[in-house]
Amino acid sequence: MADSDSKAEFLKEFLIPNYILKPEPKGQICHKPKCPVIIFINSRSGGQLGGDLFKTYRSVLNKNQVLDLGEEAPDEALRRVYVNLQRLKSEGDEFAKHIEEKLRLIVAGGDGTAGWLLGVVSDLKLSHPPPIATVPLGTGNNLPFAFGWGKRNPGTDSNAVEAFLDQVLKAKEMKIDSWHIMMRMRAPKEGPCDPIPPLELPHSLHAFQRVSETDELNLEGYHTFRGGFWNYFSMGMDAQVSYAFHSERKLHPEKFKNQLVNQSTYAKIVGEQGWFCASLFHPSSRNIAQLAKVSIMKRHGTWQELSIPQSCHPIVLTLTRHSHCSIRSIVCLNLPSFSGGLNPWGTPNSRKLRDRDLTPPYVDDGLLEVVGFRDAWHGLVLLAPNGHGTRLAQAHRIRFEFHKGATDHTFMRIDGEPWKQPLPVNDETVVVEISHLGQVNMLATHDCRSKSVYDPSTPSSHGVEEDDGGNGDDLVEEGEEFRKFGAADTFKIPDGVDITHLS
């Protein structure tokens, strides 16, 4: 009995009464919760886990503070709650003011689901934006892993839910950078130019949306898309493998019932796509340097062209042909978690910090880490202690310019969502430009792997360095920001799109 009473007292710290969540008469309020939460769950994520988790949260909390993303979009739900909060505060309701100040959000799903909620909160421009905790229910789970929430699917019983709520109560707030991405191309005389998502769905889920005619980025005679991300943008072989995986999962959903099966299937596709033998099976036209001109801007300054390596170190050149070592995948990384928790940037040692003006990968310094990979064997260095990819640059802005060339398409990926991108068939140019947008609030546990440039208590923020140990290569590299990209609309999944496969 005592144990039951203590659980009830504990859960009171998270409860939100109905009159806060929707307009209705106010009941008697006896307790101000320390950590009121609203929970968004993709009930179709993680096989049966999403649905089970939804039922458990609803059984231990007020069911109206636990929302199924398959039933109601987060922008609609949060607008309803915050409109109600503003009305109550204007009437002098101190409890409503307390809820707004203490509110935290929990999102359970894959990285795509989490990014959807992050975009909505960013777009709503709230005076007190609530910080967000992420429950890992996807395949990669890079966002939860980067902030200490783990990368394995959680338990769904009441004890597991209460343990997670306890972590949310104790978690600290941490800001992370958000990034705007714009893609523009002249309307082609022939052939498509729109981003093509897996199996040619009408839109690339929430990766891009075409801008309206009234959007300031719209130019007559051009097609322009805009979007945003928090974890990474990648292009090349890794995105091609991801595209193949998503397409297979959409065709045969019965084969993708749990995280272990998903990951083993992904590894199989890596082999089938020739990513381990890219130099043998893929033409040089797939090399990043031949696909695009890449330019970067450090902080606020002028654009400079980024030299993408097309050769190996001398010792490797004696064993293989020159073109074998070209970069075939490039990753623009915001968080120290990629491909299920790997850190492609690592932590540069003191010599590289000094000689190349590099820094550790802080998540709130307004810089992206730009890393290149030659093939899957190169990517395996990330499994070694202190392993990293080819560090190309750190940039405040980065631009890719694709001209007519030897290939008619490439593959791109944002926070786990891949698409097949047509490239110019005539003498036109496709431009993709990424720029720093702002910041959003996350919740981090004591196991958080992300580092803040402003918070000395985060791991390694005092300049603790790692010995690179020769794992990976380094390259000596040679405004006005966009306005909000309309995240609540940009990140809204179109009607009729099955969100089962957000990852």
Side-chain angles (χ1 to χ4, degrees), residues 267-296:
K268 179 183 177 183
I269 290 175
V270 168
E272 292 174 347
Q273 291 284 320
W275 188 203
F276 279 102
C277 303
S279 60
L280 298 177
F281 294 110
H282 295 278
S284 60
S285 60
R286 297 288 181 88
N287 300 341
I288 300 299
Q290 292 180 244
L291 276 175
K293 173 187 174 184
V294 185
S295 303
I296 63 168

Side-chain angles (χ1 to χ4, degrees), residues 197-272:
L199 302 191
E200 303 188 17
L201 295 173
H203 293 284
S204 180
L205 298 183
H206 60 275
F208 279 115
Q209 292 288 333
R210 189 191 298 266
V211 303
S212 67
E213 292 184 359
T214 58
D215 193 293
E216 64 181 18
L217 287 181
N218 183 59
L219 290 180
E220 187 176 354
Y222 288 83
H223 293 309
T224 304
F225 301 81
R226 71 190 319 174
F229 68 93
W230 288 267
N231 195 352
Y232 66 87
F233 166 85
S234 69
M235 180 184 70
M237 280 295 304
D238 77 290
Q240 178 178 342
V241 171
S242 180
Y243 181 85
F245 173 81
H246 279 249
S247 299
E248 180 72 12
R249 185 165 63 173
K250 186 68 176 178
L251 280 171
H252 304 287
E254 71 280 359
K255 296 180 180 179
F256 299 83
K257 292 298 185 182
N258 61 64
Q259 192 177 42
L260 183 61
V261 170
N262 291 356
Q263 290 172 342
S264 62
T265 303
Y266 199 96
K268 179 183 177 183
I269 290 175
V270 168
E272 292 174 347

Side-chain angles (χ1 to χ4, degrees), residues 17-64:
N18 277 335
Y19 93 98
I20 294 289
L21 301 167
K22 53 186 179 180
E24 66 174 45
K26 179 179 180 180
Q28 183 177 5
I29 303 298
C30 301
H31 180 75
K32 285 186 176 182
K34 294 179 182 177
C35 185
V37 293
I38 296 177
I39 300 144
F40 297 90
I41 298 177
N42 183 346
S43 62
R44 298 184 181 94
S45 280
Q48 185 62 34
L49 292 178
D52 292 345
L53 199 62
F54 179 75
K55 293 176 184 176
T56 303
Y57 269 106
R58 281 204 152 188
S59 70
V60 300
L61 297 175
N62 178 355
K63 67 178 184 179
N64 291 317

Side-chain angles (χ1 to χ4, degrees), residues 166-420:
D166 186 53
Q167 282 189 297
V168 172
L169 176 65
K170 297 172 181 175
K172 64 179 179 181
E173 293 189 32
M174 188 173 184
K175 290 187 179 297
I176 66 167
D177 294 322
S178 58
W179 296 88
H180 177 275
I181 182 166
M182 182 273 293
M183 182 166 63
R184 178 179 288 138
M185 64 223 72
R186 186 179 293 277
K189 297 175 183 176
E190 57 182 90
C193 68
D194 289 17
I196 302 173
L199 302 191
E200 303 188 17
L201 295 173
H203 293 284
S204 180
L205 298 183
H206 60 275
F208 279 115
Q209 292 288 333
R210 189 191 298 266
V211 303
S212 67
E213 292 184 359
T214 58
D215 193 293
E216 64 181 18
L217 287 181
N218 183 59
L219 290 180
E220 187 176 354
Y222 288 83
H223 293 309
T224 304
F225 301 81
R226 71 190 319 174
F229 68 93
W230 288 267
N231 195 352
Y232 66 87
F233 166 85
S234 69
M235 180 184 70
M237 280 295 304
D238 77 290
Q240 178 178 342
V241 171
S242 180
Y243 181 85
F245 173 81
H246 279 249
S247 299
E248 180 72 12
R249 185 165 63 173
K250 186 68 176 178
L251 280 171
H252 304 287
E254 71 280 359
K255 296 180 180 179
F256 299 83
K257 292 298 185 182
N258 61 64
Q259 192 177 42
L260 183 61
V261 170
N262 291 356
Q263 290 172 342
S264 62
T265 303
Y266 199 96
K268 179 183 177 183
I269 290 175
V270 168
E272 292 174 347
Q273 291 284 320
W275 188 203
F276 279 102
C277 303
S279 60
L280 298 177
F281 294 110
H282 295 278
S284 60
S285 60
R286 297 288 181 88
N287 300 341
I288 300 299
Q290 292 180 244
L291 276 175
K293 173 187 174 184
V294 185
S295 303
I296 63 168
M297 182 185 294
K298 289 190 170 185
R299 295 295 181 184
H300 300 282
T302 57
W303 288 102
Q304 54 186 294
E305 186 171 350
L306 180 64
S307 177
I308 307 295
Q310 298 193 60
S311 61
C312 296
H313 290 313
I315 189 170
V316 182
L317 283 170
T318 64
L319 302 176
T320 186
R321 290 192 297 119
H322 179 86
S323 62
H324 286 190
C325 294
S326 298
I327 296 296
R328 287 179 170 82
S329 181
I330 193 167
V331 182
C332 302
L333 195 68
N334 187 41
L335 303 180
S337 182
F338 175 75
S339 191
L342 303 176
N343 182 1
W345 186 257
T347 302
N349 61 33
S350 57
R351 178 179 60 81
K352 288 171 181 173
L353 288 171
R354 180 186 68 249
D355 295 346
R356 297 190 53 203
D357 190 26
L358 300 178
T359 71
Y362 298 121
V363 298
D364 53 0
D365 60 356
L367 293 173
L368 283 171
E369 282 69 47
V370 186
V371 186
F373 292 95
R374 300 184 298 271
D375 51 32
W377 293 116
H378 188 190
L380 289 179
V381 302
L382 299 181
L383 301 177
N386 307 330
H388 60 85
T390 299
R391 296 185 184 117
L392 300 176
Q394 287 175 302
H396 184 67
R397 296 175 81 156
I398 183 167
R399 179 195 296 149
F400 299 87
E401 297 178 57
F402 302 88
H403 300 274
K404 179 182 178 182
T407 184
D408 61 357
H409 69 272
T410 187
F411 294 87
M412 299 180 183
R413 183 163 60 144
I414 288 179
D415 288 356
E417 298 293 341
W419 72 95
K420 181 179 179 180

Side-chain angles (χ1 to χ4, degrees), residues 80-96:
R80 182 185 71 247
V81 170
Y82 273 90
V83 165
N84 199 41
L85 282 173
Q86 296 312 307
R87 178 185 64 81
L88 292 169
K89 288 197 306 177
S90 69
E91 297 171 356
D93 191 319
E94 290 297 318
F95 185 83

Side-chain angles (χ1 to χ4, degrees), residues 366-486:
L367 293 173
L368 283 171
E369 282 69 47
V370 186
V371 186
F373 292 95
R374 300 184 298 271
D375 51 32
W377 293 116
H378 188 190
L380 289 179
V381 302
L382 299 181
L383 301 177
N386 307 330
H388 60 85
T390 299
R391 296 185 184 117
L392 300 176
Q394 287 175 302
H396 184 67
R397 296 175 81 156
I398 183 167
R399 179 195 296 149
F400 299 87
E401 297 178 57
F402 302 88
H403 300 274
K404 179 182 178 182
T407 184
D408 61 357
H409 69 272
T410 187
F411 294 87
M412 299 180 183
R413 183 163 60 144
I414 288 179
D415 288 356
E417 298 293 341
W419 72 95
K420 181 179 179 180
Q421 177 58 48
L423 295 179
V425 295
N426 44 41
D427 293 329
E428 303 300 339
T429 301
V430 173
V431 176
V432 174
E433 187 168 320
I434 299 168
S435 60
H436 186 258
L437 177 64
Q439 293 184 325
V440 291
N441 296 324
M442 299 295 291
L443 286 170
T445 76
H446 66 281
D447 291 326
C448 175
R449 292 172 176 266
S450 298
K451 304 169 188 175
S452 170
V453 71
Y454 302 108
D455 183 1
S457 68
T458 57
S460 302
S461 62
H462 283 301
V464 177
E465 64 189 46
E466 299 175 1
D467 180 4
D468 290 318
N471 296 317
D473 310 309
D474 275 329
L475 169 73
V476 179
E477 77 254 30
E478 306 216 338
E480 181 183 355
E481 296 179 3
F482 289 115
R483 69 167 175 81
K484 278 259 182 240
F485 51 81

